Amino acid sequence: MIVSRPPRLDAHARLRALTSDITDLILDRGLLPGDAMPTEQELMAELGVGRNTLREAIKVLQALGVVEIRHGFGMFVAEENLVALSDSLTFRGQMSLRHKGHEANELVDVRQALEAGLVGTAMSAITEHHLAELEATVVDMERLAAEGHSFIDADRNFHRILFEPLNNQLLSNLLGVFWDVYRTIHQSIDAKDSTRAHLAETAHSHRELFEAVKSGDKPLASSLLACHFDGIRGQLADFNAPAG
Amino acid sequence: MIVSRPPRLDAHARLRALTSDITDLILDRGLLPGDAMPTEQELMAELGVGRNTLREAIKVLQALGVVEIRHGFGMFVAEENLVALSDSLTFRGQMSLRHKGHEANELVDVRQALEAGLVGTAMSAITEHHLAELEATVVDMERLAAEGHSFIDADRNFHRILFEPLNNQLLSNLLGVFWDVYRTIHQSIDAKDSTRAHLAETAHSHRELFEAVKSGDKPLASSLLACHFDGIRGQLADFNAPAG
DNA sequence: GAAAGTCGGACGTAGGACGTCCTATGCTGT
DNA sequence: ACAGCATAGGACGTCCTACGTCCGACTTTC
């Protein structure tokens, strides 16, 4: 099936049409994540383009998380991921930090809306197993805080486990991306929050939140989460206006 | 500034390092959206890679919405956009529709959490101007519904205007992306909701929501939004199990 | 039968050549 | 002097060839 594209398109539209042809090919053939894709040679013949053009399109799809390339072996349909969003947001966040930094605040606002808005639903579906895992991360935090160590991973795990009961891959991925982007942005400003007092405070706020979740107090959990993010916003404000 | 990369990296990591070098170059030079980037030749020399490799990296950045390429003129830092997320999610959505379609439900869940969770804050910042625009879109819907026409654009505008007062670019972009992806997915299933009765019902629910927003009743607005999305979920369920 | 070596296929990188497109410059005509 | 057009140059777009690198599978060997 040689497709013939009208040559009267600007380059951007042509590349987009090519990537679209490839994704259509995946969909039409019913390929599932993990399945092998045609080789470069086959795609060149089917799509009627040169190797460079084809490779540029494929690299785009790789960046978008659509295909996975294994050097020396072949190309495959990728598992679901939000690599594209993460890379894009990370760049935008870093860029805005060098100028104003309001985009970091936007990120926190969206996280707050998602987490505070969904924690109630998540609590309705939470299991004893999740609660045990949550408490384990809290204990980790408290121990690390007492030793004066930061606990990035434990913090992330806490929020990940909290929303796992919803069984919503998109939401989990989104929150994970936001977390990573926020951490990247945060790391590039300063680690001034690594004081032992601040660590203890953060650990304690997570302990409070855990207790609220355990007791099933949805409004309290939601408001505690909101406070948590208000605190994060405060740190950002300190960075943007350290003199004031 | 010739960077020397250790050759002991797999191809994927190498491409990633290259795109990272380019974004770092943008950040280090303080380039702003709209600013011109170095030419391919200059980047080849600075980064020490061949033209093909460089172009593949740049195409990735173009797909990620980092750079904008103007054929025959040059490359520029792109304005903020979430093209990457939109393309990625659209593909995933289409793919899941051909098999189970649960990802469309996840999309609706996230939209519901964001919109229902943030409508209260948005109402606190809403202005008379926004209210007038909102009512205009509602009137549009009612007119189009009476004529038996669908009103995709009016529907989208309503939700866009509703959250404009928050002045959160990331949120607006996310909601816009979700809307586009949902519309794409929805179009590929059927247009069975274009009956005049269903159109009138949709228009009416937007009218109710508008009245709640106008009167400042935040809990009512939030619950109306939640109901709105429950209805959408119902349509998806009908598609996935039309026999039951 | 298992381990090592070999082979072929597939992706990765480089460079050149030519086409296409856009901008800017300078010319022309009024 | 200004408007419009024609041209030249630069920059990206596409294709081709060649070679490097990596991986899996097959063959050989013990």
Side-chain angles (χ1 to χ4, degrees):
Chain A
M1 186 224 316
I2 307 283
V3 291
S4 70
R5 254 182 305 286
R8 290 294 115 204
L9 280 173
D10 62 50
H12 195 297
R14 224 156 24 201
L15 176 62
R16 211 179 163 75
L18 187 53
T19 59
S20 177
D21 284 345
I22 297 174
T23 57
D24 286 346
L25 183 148
I26 294 174
L27 294 171
D28 290 343
R29 297 193 179 182
L31 298 183
L32 294 174
D35 286 353
M37 293 189 47
T39 66
E40 288 181 350
Q41 298 300 328
E42 292 169 333
L43 285 177
M44 282 168 59
E46 284 208 35
L47 303 174
V49 296
R51 192 177 172 213
N52 287 1
T53 307
L54 173 66
R55 278 181 58 82
E56 286 176 4
I58 287 179
K59 287 296 175 181
V60 166
L61 293 179
Q62 182 187 27
L64 260 41
V66 173
V67 307
E68 176 190 346
I69 303 178
R70 291 168 63 182
H71 186 182
F73 191 29
M75 302 185 291
F76 303 82
V77 181
E79 304 289 337
E80 175 167 19
N81 65 74
L82 261 54
V83 163
L85 176 64
S86 178
D87 290 348
S88 180
L89 282 185
T90 300
F91 171 74
R92 288 294 162 193
Q94 289 178 332
M95 186 152 194
S96 75
L97 266 186
R98 313 230 171 172
H99 300 97
K100 286 181 304 184
H102 73 285
E103 295 186 12
N105 278 312
E106 296 186 351
L107 193 69
V108 176
D109 286 343
V110 174
R111 280 188 65 197
Q112 180 170 5
L114 278 176
E115 298 209 12
L118 283 169
V119 68
T121 314
M123 284 164 65
S124 300
I126 207 163
T127 66
E128 287 297 328
H129 177 64
H130 289 124
L131 283 174
E133 283 192 324
L134 272 182
E135 183 155 31
T137 63
V138 173
V139 171
D140 264 353
M141 287 187 200
E142 290 169 338
R143 177 175 53 78
L144 289 167
E147 297 171 1
H149 299 140
S150 62
F151 41 76
I152 305 275
D153 291 337
D155 197 341
R156 176 176 173 148
N157 278 335
F158 182 90
H159 290 268
R160 179 178 59 76
I161 296 167
L162 184 58
F163 292 97
E164 221 173 45
L166 285 175
N167 199 28
N168 185 323
Q169 284 293 316
L170 175 60
L171 175 71
S172 297
N173 283 331
L174 272 178
L175 290 178
V177 167
F178 291 157
W179 218 103
D180 288 341
V181 174
Y182 174 73
R183 181 174 56 180
T184 301
I185 296 174
H186 197 265
Q187 281 178 343
S188 61
I189 59 179
D190 197 358
K192 74 178 69 170
D193 63 338
S194 292
T195 67
R196 194 168 298 223
H198 185 278
L199 289 174
E201 181 186 327
T202 303
H204 180 64
S205 72
H206 282 86
R207 163 65 69 179
E208 281 186 319
L209 179 55
F210 167 72
E211 298 296 343
V213 171
K214 188 177 179 182
S215 69
D217 190 337
K218 296 179 183 177
L220 178 59
S222 183
S223 69
L224 284 175
L225 260 177
C227 284
H228 181 48
F229 286 110
D230 287 340
I232 291 176
R233 243 189 300 269
Q235 294 174 30
L236 286 176
D238 290 344
F239 168 73
N240 286 324
Chain B
M1 187 224 312
I2 308 283
V3 291
S4 69
R5 253 181 308 285
R8 291 293 114 204
L9 281 172
D10 61 44
H12 194 297
R14 227 156 23 202
L15 176 62
R16 209 178 164 77
L18 186 53
T19 59
S20 178
D21 284 344
I22 298 173
T23 57
D24 286 346
L25 184 147
I26 294 174
L27 294 170
D28 290 342
R29 297 193 180 180
L31 298 182
L32 294 174
D35 286 352
M37 293 189 46
T39 65
E40 288 183 349
Q41 298 299 328
E42 291 169 333
L43 285 177
M44 283 167 59
E46 285 207 34
L47 303 175
V49 296
R51 195 180 172 211
N52 288 348
T53 307
L54 173 67
R55 278 181 58 82
E56 286 177 3
I58 287 178
K59 286 298 175 181
V60 166
L61 293 179
Q62 182 187 26
L64 260 41
V66 173
V67 308
E68 176 190 347
I69 302 177
R70 291 169 62 182
H71 187 182
F73 190 31
M75 302 185 291
F76 303 83
V77 181
E79 304 288 339
E80 176 167 16
N81 64 74
L82 261 55
V83 163
L85 177 63
S86 178
D87 289 348
S88 181
L89 283 185
T90 300
F91 171 75
R92 288 295 161 191
Q94 289 177 331
M95 184 152 196
S96 76
L97 265 186
R98 310 227 171 175
H99 299 97
K100 285 182 305 184
H102 72 284
E103 295 185 12
N105 277 313
E106 296 186 351
L107 193 70
V108 176
D109 286 344
V110 173
R111 279 189 65 196
Q112 179 171 7
L114 278 177
E115 298 208 12
L118 282 168
V119 67
T121 314
M123 284 165 66
S124 300
I126 208 164
T127 66
E128 286 298 329
H129 177 65
H130 289 125
L131 283 173
E133 283 192 324
L134 273 183
E135 183 156 31
T137 63
V138 173
V139 171
D140 263 354
M141 288 187 201
E142 291 169 338
R143 178 176 50 79
L144 289 167
E147 296 172 2
H149 299 140
S150 64
F151 41 77
I152 304 274
D153 291 337
D155 197 340
R156 174 172 176 151
N157 277 334
F158 183 90
H159 291 267
R160 180 180 58 77
I161 296 167
L162 184 58
F163 293 96
E164 221 173 45
L166 284 175
N167 199 29
N168 185 325
Q169 285 292 317
L170 174 61
L171 176 70
S172 297
N173 283 330
L174 273 179
L175 290 177
V177 167
F178 291 156
W179 176 263
D180 286 341
V181 174
Y182 174 74
R183 181 175 55 181
T184 301
I185 296 174
H186 195 266
Q187 280 177 343
S188 60
I189 57 177
D190 199 357
K192 75 177 70 170
D193 62 338
S194 293
T195 66
R196 193 168 298 222
H198 185 278
L199 289 174
E201 180 186 326
T202 303
H204 180 64
S205 72
H206 281 88
R207 163 65 70 180
E208 280 186 319
L209 179 56
F210 166 72
E211 298 295 344
V213 171
K214 187 178 181 183
S215 69
D217 191 337
K218 295 179 184 177
L220 178 60
S222 183
S223 69
L224 284 175
L225 260 177
C227 284
H228 180 49
F229 286 110
D230 286 340
I232 291 176
R233 242 188 302 268
Q235 293 175 33
L236 286 176
D238 290 344
F239 168 73
N240 285 323

